[in-house]
Amino acid sequence: GAGVSQTPSNKVTEKGKYVELRCDPISGHTALYWYRQSLGQGPEFLIYFQGTGAADDSGLPNDRFFAVRPEGSVSTLKIQRTERGDSAVYLCASSLTRTGSDYGYTFGSGTRLTVV
Amino acid sequence: DQQVKQNSPSLSVQEGRISILNCDYTNSMFDYFLWYKKYPAEGPTFLISISSIKDKNEDGRFTVFLNKSAKHLSLHIVPSQPGDSAVYFCAASRMDSNYQLIWGAGTKLIIKP
């Protein structure tokens, strides 16, 4: 597609449940990023993929969070035993390169996760 | 510890006038700064950036100024247009991890007709 696609756009889940959030990057973009944006704050880095591998997952808050990108394209962010504090907008972005001079990050519209 | 701060949650400007959005940072290792614009229910869109070796970068109606000694940057929009109404985020990155952006909390800009 022309842009970064994230599904679902909204997800309401009960505390303790497992959720998966999907990101379809722009075709050909090797770099993929997940960020989380809580209400009234800027996005916070979660994880960065270069190709299939997670080059940096230092932003994942704890071991309930995991992300994969098995074929170097679509990525899935997985959250186990969800907590109310996980409620946020989860943003995915992709880019052709990761160099500092080329921040051609294209963001998706995000998935709004609400844990009740 | 907020490394990138946008102290004004909102700003209201008359159409046609200049909008000035401010951003302060604390980490002297930051070497690249960006501004993003965000409309409701959409992802952030890249607007303009500046490297720490420069003090000014201009792109059409948008100019970003960097004052490294004060650890301060600002975004100027002139003239302001109704379509500029959005939330503006300042972000920064470090040379040693230049894929990771550190973001401010955003400033909501409202352009009054």
Side-chain angles (χ1 to χ4, degrees):
Chain A
V4 177
S5 175
Q6 290 188 248
T7 54
S9 55
N10 277 285
K11 175 73 177 177
V12 181
T13 190
E14 291 182 350
K15 179 174 175 295
K17 299 286 190 185
Y18 167 82
V19 295
E20 289 190 351
L21 312 180
R22 177 188 167 106
C23 174
D24 250 296
I26 291 173
S27 178
H29 280 193
T30 57
L32 185 145
Y33 318 81
W34 283 98
Y35 281 80
R36 176 170 74 170
Q37 185 176 13
S38 300
L39 194 62
Q41 298 181 23
E44 291 177 287
F45 171 79
L46 294 177
I47 187 169
Y48 155 60
F49 286 92
Q50 185 61 38
T52 60
D56 184 349
D57 64 358
S58 62
L60 294 177
N62 51 60
D63 61 7
R64 295 187 297 106
F65 288 75
F66 190 70
V68 295
R69 195 185 184 200
E71 297 175 359
S73 178
V74 171
S75 176
T76 305
L77 178 65
K78 308 180 181 196
I79 311 174
Q80 297 178 321
R81 305 182 304 279
T82 51
E83 299 177 356
R84 292 197 179 90
D86 299 334
S87 297
V89 175
Y90 289 81
L91 293 164
C92 175
S94 70
S95 67
L96 270 174
T97 69
R98 56 148 277 182
T99 61
S101 62
D102 175 24
Y103 278 95
Y105 278 29
T106 301
F107 279 90
S109 298
T111 293
R112 180 175 296 278
L113 175 67
T114 304
V115 182
V116 296
Chain B
D1 174 31
Q2 266 194 302
Q3 298 185 65
V4 178
K5 297 179 186 178
Q6 294 177 258
N7 291 320
S8 299
S10 66
L11 175 68
S12 187
V13 174
Q14 201 73 37
E15 181 181 358
R17 306 294 289 268
I18 184 170
S19 296
I20 300 176
L21 298 121
N22 293 303
C23 178
D24 296 292
Y25 62 95
T26 57
N27 192 334
S28 57
M29 294 292 289
F30 288 149
D31 68 335
Y32 204 76
F33 304 90
L34 308 92
W35 285 93
Y36 278 79
K37 176 179 178 179
K38 186 181 183 303
Y39 293 118
E42 294 184 13
T45 303
F46 171 74
L47 202 53
I48 193 169
S49 64
I50 188 166
S51 161
S52 60
I53 62 173
K54 295 185 174 181
D55 55 17
K56 177 182 174 182
N57 188 26
E58 193 171 350
D59 183 2
R61 296 186 298 113
F62 302 90
T63 303
V64 55
F65 295 92
L66 175 62
N67 182 334
K68 280 198 301 182
S69 61
K71 293 192 178 69
H72 176 84
L73 64 156
S74 60
L75 174 69
H76 292 210
I77 307 173
V78 56
S80 300
Q81 299 174 353
D84 297 331
S85 296
V87 177
Y88 288 78
F89 290 96
C90 168
S93 73
R94 291 167 47 147
M95 199 180 311
D96 58 350
S97 61
N98 60 11
Y99 50 83
Q100 184 180 145
L101 300 181
I102 311 299
W103 300 67
T107 296
K108 184 175 184 178
L109 177 64
I110 301 163
I111 305 301
K112 299 180 291 185

